[in-house]
Amino acid sequence: MALDILYFAWVREGVGAPSEQVDPPAGVEDVAGLIAWLATLSAGHAAALAEPARLRAAIDQKFVSLDAKLAGAREVALFPPVTGG
Amino acid sequence: MIEVRVQEAPFDAGVELDRLQRLGVGGVASFIGVVRGDGGLTEMFLEHHPGMTRKAMQAMADEAAARWPLAGIILIHRHGRLVPGDPIVLVATASSHRAAALESCAALIDLLKTEAPFWKRESFADGRHHWVDAKAEDDLAAARWH
């Protein structure tokens, strides 16, 4: 299951890239599981994704909670709480 | 008339308000968010999720149009590098009822702060920079409208 991951703001800076394509192992079923698995990819990922409570997510360009299932997802964005306006 | 724009370029609030005024419906309410220059701030960088931003803003505008009797809505949000005094965001609504114009304008700016995928990074004269944290009071303000 190839997934496009997008990172924004300090998550992007911590990971060191704005996006990447990944193929998570079976067993990674929801956003929280994906975050935990991504955190194992590098020291930068680990630091940026260390506190899931500080992260928000969108699947295929819709905001979701971290317990949202990944089934059928093509793109997952991970970012801090938004600060527009 | 609902118009939603996400752009790097500046906007001319006077021109945009004039377009709503020419609808001739009685009242135009507006809010212009401006980069603040206090605390030695020299630059604000606005990052956004390009695939998502416009859709999220359009959804807010559609909700406002369904809730209040509005003749026009203009939402403009900038991204990229801005300096103190630069306009960041314009929310403008036109209605034959002043309460509808004022309330929908307030709702839209509250929702833009919490439900549009933008992130602000502030840079200061002494070289510091940091990503702005979301504020709990902004969430409370937005929750009033749901």
Side-chain angles (χ1 to χ4, degrees), chain B residues 18 43-44 54 59 71 77-78 93 103-104 107 117 122-123 129 131:
Chain B
D18 188 57
E43 181 189 276
M44 176 171 281
R54 204 184 163 287
H77 205 304
R78 296 177 68 192
T93 55
E103 280 175 22
S104 61
E122 296 177 333
S123 300
H129 64 84
W131 291 93

Side-chain angles (χ1 to χ4, degrees), chain B residues 87-117:
Chain B
I88 307 170
V89 60
L90 172 71
V91 177
T93 55
S95 176
S96 52
H97 305 281
R98 71 175 183 282
L102 289 166
E103 280 175 22
S104 61
C105 184
L108 284 165
I109 190 63
D110 283 345
L111 295 173
L112 274 170
K113 282 200 167 287
T114 55
E115 295 174 21

Side-chain angles (χ1 to χ4, degrees), chain B residues 1 3 5 7 10-23 28 30 73-76 90 92:
Chain B
M1 165 202 179
E3 196 171 300
R5 305 209 305 260
Q7 62 188 47
F11 55 81
D12 185 332
V15 167
E16 306 300 339
L17 295 181
D18 188 57
R19 294 172 58 220
L20 288 177
Q21 195 175 318
R22 284 173 191 283
L23 296 173
V28 175
S30 65
I73 302 173
I74 296 179
L75 293 184
I76 304 174
L90 172 71

Side-chain angles (χ1 to χ4, degrees), chain A:
Chain A
M1 178 182 67
L3 264 184
D4 289 319
I5 312 292
L6 307 182
Y7 303 107
F8 293 100
W10 54 256
V11 184
R12 170 180 58 73
E13 290 181 338
V15 167
S19 66
E20 62 185 326
Q21 194 168 63
V22 299
D23 195 356
V28 171
E29 292 180 348
D30 59 15
V31 176
L34 177 67
I35 291 169
W37 175 73
L38 289 168
T40 65
L41 296 184
S42 78
H45 286 78
L49 305 172
E51 293 178 72
R54 296 180 65 203
L55 300 176
R56 300 293 181 270
I59 293 181
D60 295 334
Q61 311 184 344
K62 289 203 172 82
F63 292 110
V64 296
S65 58
L66 299 192
D67 61 4
K69 298 288 183 203
L70 295 175
R74 301 167 59 93
E75 177 194 291
V76 178
L78 299 173
F79 42 79
V82 302
T83 54

